[in-house]
Amino acid sequence: MLADNEKRPRVLKRSIMPSSRYSRLLVSLFSLALIASTAAAAPATFCNPLDIPYRFRLKTPSAREAADPTVIVFHGEYWLFASKSGGYWHTRDFVNWKFVEPTGLPLENYAPTVEAVGGKLYFVAGSSAIYTTGDPVRGIWTKVADIPDDPDPDLFLDTDGRLYLYGGCSDSKPIWVEELNPRTFKVIGSRTNLIAAKPAMHGWEVRRPYWIKGDPETDAHNHHTAAYIEGAWMNKVNGKYYLQYACPGTELPNYGDGVYVGDHPTGPFTYMPANPFSYHPTGFAVGAGHGSTFKDSLGNYWHIATAAISKRDIFERRLVLYPARFFPDGQVAADTYLGDYPQYVPGTKSGAFGANSAGWMLVSLRRPATASSELDGYPASGAVDENIQTWWSAKTGNPGEWLQVDLRDNCTINAIQINFADQGSTTLGRLHDAYQYRVEASDDGKTWNTIIDRSKNERDAPHDYEPLDSPVKARYVRLINVHTPAGMLFSVSGLRIFGKGAGSAPDRVSHIMVIRDKQDPRNAHISWSPSAEAEFYIVRYGIRPDRLFSNYQIYNGSALDLHALNSDTPDYYVTVDAINAAGVTLGPAAVEMK
């Protein structure tokens, strides 16, 4: 299956001898950043959310949306299908995307998915039909069969040639499966119910309070307490069947994917104790549910999933991508550790899981920010607070509006991600215009050099990710507007500057205390002694001390009330890492929850 992970020593404040294999992999995440960045032909990188031209919804309020992604390899390319995109994309490198606007498909139905059968692609969405094409580039699809009308379908072709249809999206009904005739695509036999949400046992499946309030629609979702189970996806690995599902709701930060494991595509299935396997409830691009898991050209597994913005509308969503791994004992995990920092594209590294970071830290977090103007309620600080739901907006979209960040020290800059906020948008549908801008850098805030020039850009890039050809040393970075599309105001939810900060990585965390709630073992309280020079912390936990794959990023304080545990999983282990712009310092040996 996966090749052994490559070892890359990490920049740390002092030498730490991790006690587990995964900790050794984490040690490799951020090392040799400057060496990698100055290589003559540095590998391509990406940064979540994926930088593709997300379409605006076709109804008000104006907001971009893509979700429920399926990626499949076909004819030597990766094909990406996502809800409400008006078509689909294909790429060979996850950097250069080509969009296809097809004919014959129900493009406005949610949760599109595809499967390759007999040299053709077969498509189904939340509708009552299956469609096919042998030439997805040309994009002419024809209907081949009617099927039961149910949401969130998934087609799975087993290695024995038998074809199955999974589905379900409900707060009261289970995920189900039906077998299809692989020639006629008609249903064979009866439907089998498979798995249901169990939030009373699984803490991560519980709906938490919605993160914005104030309008009737979002408040209604706030008071909806039942968990949705949805987004079925099937993988077969080493003879085992991994039935993936999403919970508890797409608009929530704790939206994730879990799996049940079985010996047959129709079950029975057993809940994986380490669930959820894909989880990213904190950070910039939050949420990691309703996705698909696929192999790259080197045999690495990847998990592509749905992230939430959900500010203007609950279905304001984006796509995120993480390395994944299936373990011989049946555990599967997605590597979401600093998962919205730059990492290498699929097909670049053997053993991407646990060792895929480009090694660049976020040097702009909460740094002083100033601007040419500030719209009321949208200060410059909203562009550097690592919260995708807040943003800076200028008062106009005029050329010359600018946003400036003081990094406090001269830092090495390797890449910049500019997340445009589309303030004032009234666009519905695809945007046929683009942001145009320049990025300048300075040592003293007086003399400026242009390091990125997109003043003639024609590509719609709402999450524009720009790795630099060569690293730059600077203290100040300034983003200057040249053109804002469609009458919008110049606005940015994240001016994220990646590289290496001055100084050393923080001190190691000490005195980790973990108390699991005896009355409700889904919950635990974790605290630790603050680390000098730490800007934030990452709490890592899991069911084995060498597999601490789930994580929370803690930006305020030195404690976490954790509500994501499985009550029927008796043993968990925890450690806490300290992070700043200069690097990562791993936590001490994992502490058992008691």
Side-chain angles (χ1 to χ4, degrees):
M1 277 197 37
L2 300 182
D4 289 337
N5 290 301
E6 298 175 8
K7 304 295 192 294
R8 292 162 58 92
R10 176 203 260 167
V11 178
L12 295 175
K13 181 159 186 172
R14 59 174 176 243
S15 176
I16 297 175
M17 298 302 293
S19 61
S20 70
R21 183 171 184 267
Y22 187 66
S23 291
R24 290 195 297 273
L25 295 178
L26 283 176
V27 170
S28 73
L29 285 175
F30 299 98
S31 63
L32 294 183
L34 297 182
I35 294 175
S37 67
T38 56
T45 56
F46 73 96
C47 187
N48 288 317
L50 291 180
D51 182 20
I52 57 177
Y54 299 93
R55 193 185 71 167
F56 286 83
R57 290 157 41 89
L58 298 181
K59 60 182 180 179
T60 58
S62 174
R64 298 182 191 258
E65 177 182 7
D68 319 321
T70 286
V71 168
I72 188 171
V73 179
F74 187 71
H75 288 174
E77 292 190 90
Y78 303 99
W79 297 82
L80 167 61
F81 296 75
S83 291
K84 299 297 181 177
S85 296
Y88 50 85
W89 292 269
H90 59 111
T91 181
R92 294 186 183 274
D93 57 12
F94 272 84
V95 175
N96 301 294
W97 296 87
K98 296 179 181 179
F99 184 73
V100 178
E101 193 167 354
T103 60
L105 291 180
L107 295 174
E108 298 312 312
N109 291 352
Y110 276 110
T113 190
V114 294
E115 178 65 284
V117 181
K120 293 184 177 182
L121 287 184
Y122 289 83
F123 171 104
V124 61
S127 64
S128 56
I130 295 178
Y131 304 81
T132 189
T133 185
D135 186 358
V137 173
R138 190 180 178 196
I140 299 174
W141 296 73
T142 57
K143 188 170 78 169
V144 295
D146 292 314
I147 58 171
D149 187 1
D150 264 309
D152 287 11
D154 173 49
L155 285 171
F156 169 68
L157 182 67
D158 203 352
T159 51
D160 61 3
R162 296 174 72 173
L163 183 65
Y164 300 89
L165 176 68
Y166 299 85
C169 174
S170 175
D171 60 353
S172 60
K173 298 177 182 179
I175 299 292
W176 51 262
V177 64
E178 294 173 335
E179 186 172 0
L180 303 181
N181 184 308
R183 292 179 298 278
T184 66
F185 294 87
K186 299 295 185 181
V187 175
I188 301 173
S190 59
R191 174 174 295 187
T192 301
N193 290 331
L194 298 175
I195 60 174
K198 297 180 179 180
M201 298 177 65
H202 308 147
W204 71 276
E205 294 181 356
V206 175
R207 292 181 64 89
R208 298 295 165 194
Y210 194 62
W211 43 346
I212 60 172
K213 300 179 184 293
D215 67 81
E217 184 177 14
T218 55
D219 285 346
H221 279 263
N222 264 335
H223 291 96
H224 187 99
T225 58
Y228 277 85
I229 184 169
E230 56 195 29
W233 178 266
M234 176 61 75
N235 285 99
K236 183 179 183 181
V237 179
N238 292 338
K240 293 286 186 179
Y241 295 86
Y242 293 81
L243 178 59
Q244 173 184 306
Y245 71 101
C247 229
T250 188
E251 76 279 14
L252 303 172
N254 65 315
Y255 191 49
D257 280 329
V259 293
Y260 281 72
V261 186
D263 295 320
H264 190 272
T266 62
F269 292 97
T270 301
Y271 183 77
M272 185 183 74
N275 274 320
F277 85 89
S278 176
Y279 200 53
H280 196 245
T282 55
F284 184 72
V286 297
H290 195 152
S292 58
T293 307
F294 64 96
K295 269 187 178 181
D296 69 14
S297 58
L298 296 179
N300 301 301
Y301 281 99
W302 291 81
H303 186 64
I304 187 167
T306 305
I309 296 179
S310 302
K311 179 70 172 180
R312 297 175 174 95
D313 184 85
I314 62 169
F315 293 133
E316 184 181 12
R317 299 174 290 176
R318 301 293 190 266
L319 305 182
V320 287
L321 179 67
Y322 305 110
R325 184 176 178 183
F326 291 83
F327 290 83
D329 62 2
Q331 183 175 348
V332 57
D335 182 9
T336 64
Y337 189 89
L338 291 178
D340 42 31
Y341 283 27
Q343 55 185 307
Y344 298 114
V345 298
T348 299
K349 296 190 60 163
S350 296
F353 183 88
N356 200 53
S357 171
W360 305 331
M361 305 305 297
L362 183 66
V363 300
S364 54
L365 176 63
R366 294 176 173 174
R367 297 303 191 259
T370 54
S372 55
S373 66
E374 294 180 333
L375 186 67
D376 288 347
Y378 299 91
S381 59
V384 292
D385 62 1
E386 205 61 355
N387 182 351
I388 203 169
Q389 281 202 326
T390 63
W391 55 82
W392 161 74
S393 178
K395 291 182 177 180
T396 77
N398 295 340
E401 294 275 20
W402 54 265
L403 172 68
Q404 181 176 312
V405 180
D406 177 0
L407 304 179
R408 294 190 178 134
D409 293 291
N410 266 21
C411 298
T412 300
I413 300 172
N414 295 85
I416 296 178
Q417 185 192 45
I418 305 166
N419 300 272
F420 293 104
D422 300 329
Q423 177 70 27
S425 171
T426 58
T427 299
L428 302 179
R430 193 161 304 283
L431 180 64
H432 300 288
D433 198 354
Y435 287 95
Q436 296 174 340
Y437 65 89
R438 297 191 316 276
V439 176
E440 299 178 339
S442 172
D443 293 335
D444 57 10
K446 298 177 181 179
T447 302
W448 296 87
N449 297 308
T450 298
I451 59 174
I452 300 172
D453 188 348
R454 295 293 176 265
S455 57
K456 297 182 179 179
N457 174 52
E458 296 181 352
R459 183 177 70 91
D460 180 23
H463 299 279
D464 198 356
Y465 172 65
E466 298 288 345
L468 303 183
D469 292 335
S470 299
V472 170
K473 281 275 194 178
R475 172 173 172 171
Y476 300 91
V477 173
R478 184 167 65 185
L479 171 68
I480 303 173
N481 183 41
V482 173
H483 170 71
T484 297
M488 293 184 274
L489 306 185
F490 193 50
S491 54
V492 177
S493 63
L495 178 56
R496 308 177 73 218
I497 304 167
F498 295 99
K500 186 178 187 297
S504 302
D507 287 342
R508 191 180 188 183
V509 163
S510 61
H511 301 102
I512 299 174
M513 299 290 292
V514 182
I515 301 175
R516 193 168 183 182
D517 189 334
K518 290 181 170 50
Q519 299 300 317
D520 187 349
R522 297 175 301 174
N523 304 323
H525 180 75
I526 303 165
S527 62
W528 56 93
S529 296
S531 166
E533 305 301 325
E535 294 185 314
F536 67 97
Y537 303 92
I538 298 182
V539 177
R540 290 187 285 124
Y541 65 97
I543 65 172
R544 287 174 39 163
D546 59 340
R547 296 186 186 177
L548 308 180
F549 299 144
S550 295
N551 63 84
Y552 278 77
Q553 295 174 207
I554 307 302
Y555 292 98
N556 297 298
S558 53
L560 168 65
D561 286 317
L562 180 61
H563 303 289
L565 306 178
N566 300 306
S567 62
D568 52 350
T569 300
D571 298 320
Y572 281 96
Y573 299 85
V574 181
T575 194
V576 182
D577 303 337
I579 321 292
N580 67 15
V584 175
T585 301
L586 292 178
V591 176
E592 186 175 3
M593 288 191 185
K594 296 182 180 178

